[in-house]
Amino acid sequence: MTNKEVLQIALEQSALDLNCAPGDFLKDGNVVVSSVIGEQARKYYREPVTANLVTYGNNIVASVKEEVREIVEEYIRTFEFYHCFETPNMHWLSDRLLPLGHRVCFMAEYYLPDVENLPERSCGYELRLLGPEEFQGLYREEWSNALCKDRKELDVCGVGAYDGETLIGMAGASADCASMWQIGVDVLPAYRRRGIASAMTVRLAREILKRGKVPFYCSAWSNIRSVRNAVKSGFLPAWVELTVKPIDFVEKMNRTEPSGG
């Protein structure tokens, strides 16, 4: 699989996610389409989604509910496309969405592998290929990036790092859609900064490609540790997303239960 083929597969999947055409992400001008989450969209795209703005570095494709279409169109017309994913411009958008009951919720950067730069890495610990049968009993907090207990059926393979028989790190692949598998990584705190994360990530990426799927990686911009791992492992920034959700959804995410006394 070539880098050109990897990008094309990603564009096709993003088109399924946003209800647009793959070529829309490569146009000079912005594109606005009606929001529809189809059966082939990534599994973590779930209603309610008010709007989703995506750029692959050329323009913005915005998938929107009709009630916010005019606001989003004005927003992406007012600011240069890459500034639409930055503050203070996002306050412009959020302030106008609030009276309608919506606000900016998620922001993330996504990475694709440079298939010409995925050399095997050594970390000094044994790496083992894992399958769903080995995941039982591992759905715990320390492996919550590598595995997802709410979508266990999507966890298809992984790579574990072992100190003797002790699992010290894990990279897991989630079959979030038919053609692309997402990589999540965890390393126990005492074993960090030893190259374990990148060794597992590269090994898993190569395994995913061997199975005919495209590995992808997601990180918040502020998670420098994760970003460094992506780059060190041969992944490069490919696209970014900004998602608008109803206010009650955002407030529910931010709500914390008081601790018992």
Side-chain angles (χ1 to χ4, degrees):
M1 193 178 299
T2 66
N3 284 333
K4 184 176 181 180
E5 290 169 333
V6 165
L7 177 60
Q8 183 60 35
I9 290 171
L11 291 170
E12 290 171 358
Q13 183 57 51
S14 289
L16 292 171
D17 299 337
L18 268 65
N19 189 38
C20 66
D24 288 342
F25 299 101
L26 304 179
K27 292 181 177 179
D28 292 330
N30 296 322
V31 176
V32 180
V33 298
S34 297
S35 176
V36 176
I37 299 180
E39 291 185 1
Q40 298 183 74
R42 275 174 252 255
K43 302 302 182 184
Y44 52 82
Y45 286 128
R46 296 178 179 175
E47 295 288 5
V49 175
T50 307
N52 200 11
L53 280 62
V54 174
T55 181
Y56 273 79
N58 299 286
N59 64 351
I60 289 177
V61 176
S63 179
V64 302
K65 300 298 187 188
E66 291 306 310
E67 63 180 304
V68 301
R69 177 184 284 267
E70 290 186 7
I71 294 174
V72 173
E73 286 179 337
E74 184 180 359
Y75 179 57
I76 63 178
R77 187 171 60 245
T78 300
F79 301 101
E80 191 71 23
F81 74 89
Y82 50 88
H83 288 312
C84 289
F85 299 85
E86 301 173 347
T87 54
N89 298 338
M90 284 188 297
H91 295 307
W92 185 105
L93 176 62
S94 217
D95 288 348
R96 285 158 176 77
L97 291 170
L98 282 173
L100 297 178
H102 309 281
R103 70 189 328 163
V104 173
C105 183
F106 298 123
M107 295 170 58
E109 185 167 22
Y110 289 83
Y111 301 77
L112 291 172
D114 178 355
V115 298
E116 299 174 358
N117 183 34
L118 288 174
E120 289 278 6
R121 291 186 174 275
S122 174
C123 63
Y125 295 95
E126 181 187 3
L127 300 183
R128 302 177 189 172
L129 186 64
L130 306 176
E133 61 277 6
E134 283 89 23
F135 296 156
Q136 305 306 315
L138 296 179
Y139 287 93
R140 305 192 300 267
E141 181 62 28
E142 60 263 43
W143 313 123
S144 59
N145 290 310
L147 302 174
C148 180
K149 65 180 180 180
D150 294 330
R151 298 194 296 270
K152 294 181 180 179
E153 70 281 2
L154 301 181
D155 292 330
V156 287
C157 66
V159 170
Y162 289 82
D163 185 355
E165 291 303 313
T166 301
L167 182 65
I168 60 173
M170 183 187 298
S174 175
D176 290 338
C177 53
S179 59
M180 301 179 71
W181 292 359
Q182 182 170 193
I183 293 177
V185 183
D186 291 292
V187 177
L188 295 181
Y191 289 87
R192 290 173 183 167
R193 305 179 73 87
R194 303 187 190 184
I196 297 171
S198 60
M200 295 189 303
T201 302
V202 173
R203 176 72 64 85
L204 185 55
R206 292 167 66 95
E207 179 66 25
I208 293 170
L209 287 165
K210 188 190 305 182
R211 300 186 186 195
K213 308 295 182 181
V214 171
F216 71 104
Y217 189 106
C218 177
S219 174
W221 291 298
S222 57
N223 191 344
I224 300 301
R225 185 167 57 202
S226 182
V227 172
R228 285 176 175 168
N229 180 57
V231 174
K232 186 177 180 180
S233 303
F235 283 72
L236 297 174
W239 77 95
V240 297
E241 298 190 11
L242 181 153
T243 304
V244 175
K245 292 271 193 176
I247 290 174
D248 58 354
F249 180 94
V250 180
E251 290 179 344
K252 183 178 180 180
M253 290 196 67
N254 288 332
R255 193 177 302 128
T256 56
E257 295 295 333
S259 58

